Amino acid sequence: MPEIIAGITVPDTQLARDATAVVRKSADDTLFHHSRRVFLWGMLKGAVQGLEADPELAYVGAIFHDLGLTAACRTADRRFEIDGAEAAYGFLREHGRSHEQARDVWLGIALHTTPEVPHHLVPEVAVVTLGVETDVLGVDLDHITETQRAEVVAAHPRPDFKSRILRAFYDGMAHRPETTFGTMNDDVLAHFDPAFRRQDFVRTILDNSWPE
């Protein structure tokens, strides 16, 4: 029987089970439960907004969205969001989904730390950001009922989540600080590492190779 949490049916297809297994193998409890909550919050908020996302694609986007932070998936020279997006794209193509469908999930993951833009794209992109904003930032938490919130957190607890997710971000990006330029991710590195120095966007413009 499919699992139903807060009125949202968690996909129970072979593809969804395989996606869960990938993340369960690679991520710790903090990232796993966070990713499942992202799916649930995203689908709950998407329903309120009238978004009709493919449940399997939304699930893979949510469950893979932080996979690029893990030792199994992260690279040394690109943003963690892209690492997760690439993993999801390959996974979906291997499971028979089209390039277009896999590309939508790629975008949902790659853009999930980019404010505003995902909300103007297809539902499979938007619901990932809706879920992330809810779980990490508490955005529009009052749009989720107390009953829904309690049911989701009972299924996927968040003990000391704020501290643990910040540590997960840092651990997944500290070895590639240059990839945080132009993103909010450099705030995380600055929080944990007093020696970290942000690259200055204005200085990058003023000091570049153009002679004027």
Side-chain angles (χ1 to χ4, degrees):
M1 289 287 291
E3 189 176 11
I4 300 174
I5 303 171
I8 300 298
T9 300
V10 179
D12 190 35
T13 61
Q14 188 62 54
L15 184 152
R17 291 193 294 272
D18 289 350
T20 301
V22 168
V23 177
R24 249 317 187 193
K25 181 178 179 180
S26 303
D28 63 11
D29 283 349
T30 296
L31 288 181
F32 173 74
H33 288 297
H34 162 57
S35 298
R36 294 267 291 194
R37 290 193 306 270
V38 164
F39 169 73
L40 295 164
W41 303 138
M43 295 299 280
L44 284 167
K45 283 191 169 178
V48 171
Q49 296 182 16
L51 302 179
E52 296 183 4
D54 179 309
E56 276 192 332
L57 297 182
Y59 185 74
V60 173
I63 202 82
F64 274 63
H65 85 277
D66 274 345
L67 202 60
L69 295 170
T70 68
C73 191
R74 63 188 178 222
T75 61
D77 57 357
R78 65 186 182 190
R79 288 175 55 169
F80 87 87
E81 301 95 330
I82 295 176
D83 289 338
E86 289 289 313
Y89 180 89
F91 173 87
L92 287 167
R93 295 292 283 141
E94 289 171 3
H95 282 74
R97 288 295 196 144
S98 70
H99 163 73
E100 291 76 14
Q101 291 169 328
R103 186 65 175 177
D104 285 342
V105 174
W106 190 99
L107 287 169
I109 297 173
L111 293 173
H112 82 266
T113 59
T114 301
E116 190 175 354
V117 173
H119 299 299
H120 296 272
L121 300 176
V122 297
E124 290 75 18
V125 174
V127 295
V128 175
T129 291
L130 285 170
V132 170
E133 289 177 342
T134 302
D135 206 52
V136 179
L137 306 179
V139 173
D140 294 329
L141 193 55
D142 58 332
H143 293 185
I144 307 290
T145 70
E146 290 285 350
T147 300
Q148 290 170 333
R149 197 183 312 176
E151 215 175 314
V152 170
V153 173
H156 295 291
R158 38 179 296 147
D160 195 26
F161 177 69
K162 293 177 182 179
S163 296
R164 291 183 183 185
I165 194 63
L166 284 171
R167 172 55 67 175
F169 290 154
Y170 179 74
D171 290 346
M173 295 185 291
H175 68 292
R176 43 180 168 179
E178 68 285 348
T179 68
T180 68
F181 174 59
T183 77
M184 64 188 74
N185 296 328
D186 61 1
D187 290 337
V188 176
L189 299 191
H191 174 76
F192 284 97
D193 181 3
F196 173 70
R197 293 293 177 266
R198 292 177 172 87
Q199 185 174 343
D200 189 304
F201 177 63
V202 173
R203 294 290 357 144
T204 299
I205 294 173
L206 292 177
D207 298 339
N208 75 35
S209 300
W210 283 100
E212 75 271 10

